Amino acid sequence: MKKCAKTYSALFFLSSVCLFSCNSGSSEESAYLQDAEAIQHGEELFTQYCASCHNFDQALIGPNLSGVTTEAGHEWLSKFIVNAPEVIQSGDPRATKLYEQYKQYMPAFTTLEEQEVESILAYMNTYQEQPQETQSVLISANALQDPLPERIPESGLTLVMEEYLKAPPSADEGIRARINRMVAFRQNKKERMFVNDLRANLYEIINGEFKVFLDMKKQMGENFMDNPGWGSGLAHFEFHPEFDQNGLFYTSHTEKPGSAPADFAYHDSIKVTVQYVLTEWKMDDPTASTFSGSKRELFRANMVTQIHGVQDINFNPTAEPGDEDYGLLYIGVGDGGASFGGFPFIPHHKNAIWGAVLRINPRGNNSKNGQYGIPSINPWVNDPDALGEILCYGFRNPHHFAWEPSGERMYVTDIGQHQIEEVNIVVPGGDYGWPEREGTFMISTAGKANQVFPLPENDPDKFIYPVAQYDHDEGNAIIGGVVYQGKAMPQLQGKFIFGDIVNGRVFFADTDEMELGKQAPIHSLQLRLKNERDTTNFQTLSGVPRVALRFGTDTNHDLYLFTKSDGVIYKAVGCEGNEMARTE
């Protein structure tokens, strides 16, 4: 089934291109498999890996697939699945048109077995009815085709980087390394730095080498699941602020549906694609270089699809012993793809964890399952109609947390659907609007997921809007970074540095301009490798269109940037230029 996982990403762009193919010549019925077994297998693959972005009724992240196999030839479709970037870069008019519309590449999947592709196409071919909509009528009269027409300006600054390390490959072909997070802390006055690979390994970097600290596959057994999509597997990890004394750290990972009863579930008629599990680990010796000790499960949550699961887990790094926030674990939980996957009623409630930021005490026991505590400072701790774990809600995919050095403000970046990427200030008890709002725009689960609309004149005063945002003319998925505190780049002191997962662009916004009720200007940073004259970008450096950008810091607050697509970690060693030289 590991190879089948690749189908999901390929189909996202495949179906987008196919729907709007013009005059390509219908494929003959005999070109597609007709036997019931192939169609059933294709439906299983489609449901597990594609349905979170597509259906046969309306456009979602990708377009309506009804009639897709009559719009393009079988040979063309098969070729596109195997190597979509090659088809796009060849100048193919269909691929070019849809790339301009959806603004992202899908990776090549040269290891896909022919039968996998044929089965999926056989299932899609059962939806023969041609879509009634056309691209011209998909855009409603008052829908915004370009919600943020102003482009992000250059800052006049160039980030200077040097290659720091490259993670070992965790696959033989395709995306060879899936490093997802970097955490550093001091123990006995010595810095320890850890990086996780989504496929299973938590590494410690020792003397410039990646040493396996924890192997999740060995620990979790056959239920461990790392193949449905980009975010599955060993998703995140975090060390307790008193790890030196108690040896505790935490992970989130995915398991097969039905692996165990879920603490957070929905009606049993709704499908479950993956389960996300939050685990506490206790080291026998906190100074050891490999894990030895015990583990216990804190909670388990069902997800409709493999996307938007349990995202960042983090302790407030600015909290000190005695602070009310000290030792409390923040957890970002996405909507699980439910909002536009046919189940919009699952998220956006103060009594459901999906689409929310949680705050728990992992050392407590007053939760419903008795495995963790619900802090007394949480907004709904005493509300019988709410989940006390919830800090705030109304997010699609609260992907990353960051705090200001003072600890006064916490930021969460929320990955959008088809239009808007957000930076938000966390307000306890706040409703951030998804799926009724995307950025400072209105969206409707009863309409088209790729459309946003102006806010109503009498906008209800119940939603909290982002303090910075950009649209998909600039990128496709925001990745949160840090409020910079290092010494190597004084021009960026106090600025929130973040970027785009897909194209790898790097941005910043001034924290003193980020206020509730307003949107701060965003500025773009150029990139240059140390000892090179010309600027570059992460797509060029990684050699792939989807770079999967991430950020990290060390204990000196130096900034690191790394690309999950190739496992290369870069260290920012300087910043050139004058911020006052920003282009007008």
Side-chain angles (χ1 to χ4, degrees):
M1 291 298 292
K2 290 184 178 180
K3 292 183 179 178
C4 298
K6 304 167 185 174
T7 308
Y8 162 74
S9 296
L11 273 177
F12 168 79
F13 204 95
L14 160 69
S15 52
S16 300
V17 173
C18 296
L19 179 61
F20 299 113
S21 301
C22 299
N23 301 319
S24 60
S26 298
S27 299
E28 294 182 1
E29 188 74 13
S30 60
Y32 299 95
L33 296 177
Q34 302 294 308
D35 62 282
E37 184 177 354
I39 292 171
Q40 181 179 353
H41 184 50
E43 181 179 11
E44 292 170 357
L45 295 175
F46 185 92
T47 299
Q48 186 169 4
Y49 303 115
C50 313
S52 57
C53 293
H54 302 285
N55 64 31
F56 301 91
D57 299 318
Q58 65 161 318
L60 299 177
I61 295 176
N64 184 340
L65 297 187
S66 180
V68 65
T69 56
T70 65
E71 290 294 328
H74 176 276
E75 181 180 352
W76 188 91
L77 299 181
S78 301
K79 181 179 179 181
F80 193 86
I81 291 175
V82 172
N83 201 330
E86 183 177 81
V87 178
I88 296 165
Q89 293 166 6
S90 72
D92 181 274
R94 303 186 199 104
T96 301
K97 182 176 180 179
L98 269 296
Y99 172 71
E100 291 172 353
Q101 179 185 349
Y102 287 90
K103 302 179 178 68
Q104 60 180 311
Y105 284 89
M106 288 294 105
F109 296 104
T110 55
T111 59
L112 273 176
E113 295 179 359
E114 182 180 354
Q115 194 64 30
E116 294 175 332
V117 177
E118 294 298 333
S119 294
I120 293 167
L121 291 177
Y123 170 64
M124 294 168 64
N125 192 50
T126 63
Y127 288 85
Q128 287 291 310
E129 183 179 350
Q130 293 295 306
Q132 298 301 308
E133 304 142 322
T134 65
Q135 180 64 5
S136 60
V137 300
L138 275 174
I139 305 300
S140 302
N142 60 338
L144 300 173
Q145 298 188 44
D146 189 1
L148 297 172
E150 283 192 46
R151 301 282 73 86
I152 293 178
E154 292 291 342
S155 63
L157 299 176
T158 299
L159 201 66
V160 181
M161 311 180 302
E162 62 182 10
E163 186 170 324
Y164 177 68
L165 285 174
K166 185 171 183 176
S170 53
D172 295 330
E173 297 185 61
I175 303 168
R176 305 187 70 218
R178 298 176 68 204
I179 58 171
N180 196 50
R181 191 160 188 228
M182 188 181 84
V183 171
F185 62 88
R186 288 197 176 274
Q187 185 178 63
N188 301 329
K189 299 182 180 181
K190 178 182 178 182
E191 182 177 71
R192 299 184 71 178
M193 186 178 290
F194 294 81
V195 174
N196 76 299
D197 187 299
L198 288 166
R199 288 193 173 93
N201 287 334
L202 176 57
Y203 294 104
E204 182 174 6
I205 299 174
I206 302 176
N207 297 325
E209 296 185 7
F210 288 77
K211 302 291 186 180
V212 176
F213 175 77
L214 175 73
D215 185 333
M216 287 289 285
K217 284 185 178 178
K218 288 183 178 179
Q219 291 287 336
M220 296 302 177
E222 62 181 11
N223 285 331
F224 179 80
M225 190 177 188
D226 68 337
N227 63 347
W230 287 82
S232 59
L234 171 54
H236 288 272
F237 69 100
E238 181 63 24
F239 290 86
H240 192 278
E242 295 179 1
F243 174 76
D244 283 6
Q245 291 77 43
N246 61 28
L248 296 175
F249 66 99
Y250 300 85
T251 62
S252 64
H253 74 279
T254 51
E255 292 192 4
K256 298 174 183 177
S259 294
D263 300 288
F264 300 103
Y266 30 76
H267 196 278
D268 59 10
S269 64
I270 300 173
K271 65 179 179 180
V272 178
T273 301
V274 297
Q275 292 185 321
Y276 269 86
V277 183
L278 183 69
T279 305
E280 178 183 84
W281 307 78
K282 183 173 178 59
M283 294 278 290
D284 293 332
D285 176 7
T287 65
S289 59
T290 57
F291 173 76
S292 176
S294 60
K295 64 179 182 292
R296 70 183 184 96
E297 186 173 307
L298 298 188
F299 72 71
R300 177 179 297 257
N302 288 342
M303 295 289 164
V304 173
T305 77
Q306 74 276 13
I307 61 175
H308 317 162
V310 175
Q311 298 295 353
D312 202 359
I313 59 174
N314 217 324
F315 292 97
N316 180 349
T318 70
E320 299 289 342
D323 293 347
E324 62 178 10
D325 210 20
Y326 183 73
L328 301 186
L329 185 64
Y330 289 79
I331 307 158
V333 184
D335 72 354
S339 296
F340 284 91
F343 310 101
F345 51 85
I346 288 179
H348 202 200
H349 302 286
K350 63 180 181 180
N351 59 2
I353 68 165
W354 298 278
V357 174
L358 314 181
R359 181 169 59 186
I360 68 171
N361 177 4
R363 306 304 298 146
N365 60 9
N366 65 329
S367 61
K368 185 176 179 179
N369 67 3
Q371 298 304 306
Y372 57 90
I374 299 176
S376 61
I377 60 174
N378 280 10
W380 292 296
V381 64
N382 295 316
D383 187 341
D385 297 321
L387 284 178
E389 292 92 334
I390 294 178
L391 177 65
C392 51
Y393 67 102
F395 299 99
R396 177 178 180 267
N397 190 6
H399 198 269
H400 187 81
F401 306 142
W403 279 262
E404 288 189 347
S406 65
E408 293 182 2
R409 291 201 296 194
M410 172 186 173
Y411 300 97
V412 56
T413 48
D414 190 21
I415 297 177
Q417 175 91 6
H418 193 71
Q419 295 283 357
I420 306 297
E421 307 300 313
E422 304 178 11
V423 180
N424 295 280
I425 292 176
V426 170
V427 177
D431 179 354
Y432 290 78
W434 177 262
E436 296 180 45
R437 298 290 187 270
E438 187 175 47
T440 55
F441 302 93
M442 190 167 65
I443 192 170
S444 171
T445 55
K448 305 302 177 185
N450 61 339
Q451 296 177 357
V452 294
F453 305 85
L455 294 176
E457 290 185 8
N458 298 315
D459 187 28
D461 186 21
K462 65 176 183 177
F463 297 127
I464 296 175
Y465 290 112
V467 294
Q469 61 183 354
Y470 66 89
D471 67 11
H472 285 199
D473 288 335
E474 309 288 355
N476 294 93
I478 192 170
I479 178 65
V482 299
V483 179
Y484 183 67
Q485 305 174 57
K487 298 179 179 179
M489 302 180 292
Q491 305 98 314
L492 297 176
Q493 275 279 348
K495 292 179 171 55
F496 181 60
I497 304 174
F498 59 103
D500 190 80
I501 291 175
V502 179
N503 61 27
R505 292 181 65 189
V506 181
F507 308 117
F508 71 82
D510 294 327
T511 55
D512 58 7
E513 295 180 318
M514 298 168 80
E515 301 178 23
L516 291 171
K518 300 179 181 179
Q519 284 74 53
I522 296 174
H523 300 277
S524 179
L525 286 165
Q526 293 287 324
L527 305 176
R528 183 176 69 81
L529 288 180
K530 186 179 179 181
N531 300 324
E532 296 287 340
R533 294 181 55 188
D534 298 329
T535 58
T536 186
N537 58 69
F538 281 117
Q539 289 178 325
T540 298
L541 292 173
S542 65
V544 295
R546 183 186 176 104
V547 305
L549 178 65
R550 296 291 189 270
F551 293 88
T553 58
D554 61 19
T555 55
N556 294 318
H557 306 295
D558 288 327
L559 179 67
Y560 295 78
L561 305 91
F562 50 100
T563 42
K564 189 167 70 174
S565 59
D566 59 2
V568 179
I569 302 174
Y570 300 87
K571 183 176 182 178
V573 295
C575 185
E576 299 175 337
N578 184 344
E579 189 193 349
M580 300 303 295
R582 293 176 179 173
T583 56
E584 297 297 329

